[in-house]
Amino acid sequence: MHNAASVFLQKGVIFIQEQSSGKLPNKDPKDLVNNLVRFPQVLVIGPNGEQLGVMSSRDAQFKAYDYNLDLLCVAPNSNPPVCKILDYGKYRYEQQKKAKESKKNQARIEVKEIQLTPQIGIHDMETKARAATKFIAEGNKIKVGVRFRGRQMTHIEVGEEALNKFIAMLGDIVCIEKPAVLDGRWLTAVLAPKRK
């Protein structure tokens, strides 16, 4: 596969610029780079942060070519648009690194589920309460559900009592984010860690 070449004449000097058929490394489709910068006038910032002044897009591309770097439009909506001469591959690498770092620092809150029955034994409830305490300590929310079977639906108050007893066991480490709601055969409530 052959590369296409563009021939430019600037100030009596002939420039031959190869245009690779391949893409720039990890090119972001939102970025206006090199030949995609097509504004009548742009403000150009050099590779060391110095202002090189306002010039045409073509002249800015020649400037970038002189430095053997890329021309990136960093502020297309300003008047005139601002372009920076830089190493685009290095720039994209830094952007991806920052995005990965900020993603890593985000706290992930999961909703853990705990299921009870209306006639749950006290020891089973204590075991589930210990598990819930561990989930809350990790910063997760808990969805507590009481499942009714058969004729248990006629005595929903028994399930409500079991749910309230469970919440009382967790004490003051939780707050009720979503009060108990009956949905089909399930009575569910969502608990969250109490803010300190």
Side-chain angles (χ1 to χ4, degrees):
M1 187 185 290
H2 296 291
N3 290 343
S6 300
V7 180
F8 299 105
L9 179 64
Q10 182 183 28
K11 297 179 186 170
V13 180
I14 296 175
F15 286 95
I16 299 174
Q17 184 178 10
E18 285 193 357
Q19 294 172 339
S20 171
S21 56
K23 294 180 181 175
L24 286 167
N26 293 328
K27 186 178 172 318
D28 189 328
K30 296 185 293 276
D31 286 344
L32 296 175
V33 188
N34 296 334
N35 297 347
L36 298 176
V37 178
R38 295 185 182 128
F39 298 103
Q41 297 285 303
V42 292
L43 173 63
V44 181
I45 298 172
N48 300 321
E50 71 280 9
Q51 281 198 20
L52 301 178
V54 177
M55 58 185 79
S56 71
S57 293
R58 177 173 261 191
D59 288 342
Q61 288 171 17
F62 283 127
K63 267 293 187 218
Y65 188 72
D66 289 343
Y67 284 105
N68 202 19
L69 293 171
D70 301 298
L71 181 70
L72 173 69
C73 188
V74 290
N77 297 329
S78 61
N79 190 12
V82 180
C83 294
K84 188 164 182 169
I85 296 173
L86 47 69
D87 181 344
Y88 184 70
K90 189 176 178 183
Y91 168 80
R92 284 293 298 146
Y93 173 75
E94 292 296 326
Q95 295 293 79
Q96 289 169 344
K97 197 171 162 186
K98 281 181 195 171
K100 199 181 260 186
E101 198 63 37
S102 69
K103 204 172 190 181
K104 191 196 295 185
N105 293 338
Q106 285 178 346
R108 287 203 182 128
I109 297 174
E110 292 181 39
V111 178
K112 303 285 188 174
E113 286 194 34
I114 293 186
Q115 297 180 7
L116 308 173
T117 58
Q119 284 87 22
I120 188 167
I122 188 73
H123 296 296
D124 288 342
M125 192 177 283
E126 287 171 352
T127 303
K128 288 181 187 279
R130 279 194 297 274
T133 305
K134 184 177 150 202
F135 295 147
I136 290 290
E138 291 169 357
N140 298 313
K141 294 180 182 181
I142 302 170
K143 181 179 178 183
V144 186
V146 180
R147 183 173 180 212
F148 298 97
R149 294 183 178 173
R151 290 189 211 150
Q152 291 175 340
M153 284 297 291
T154 57
H155 297 287
I156 293 171
E157 68 280 356
V158 177
E160 286 175 343
E161 191 178 312
L163 184 62
N164 291 334
K165 197 183 287 184
F166 179 79
I167 293 170
M169 276 183 166
L170 296 176
D172 59 353
I173 63 166
V174 295
C175 63
I176 299 170
E177 187 174 271
K178 185 178 163 197
V181 175
L182 187 64
D183 184 19
R185 293 190 165 274
W186 286 91
L187 180 69
T188 57
V190 177
L191 310 176
K194 192 170 261 185
R195 301 273 175 246
K196 293 177 182 173

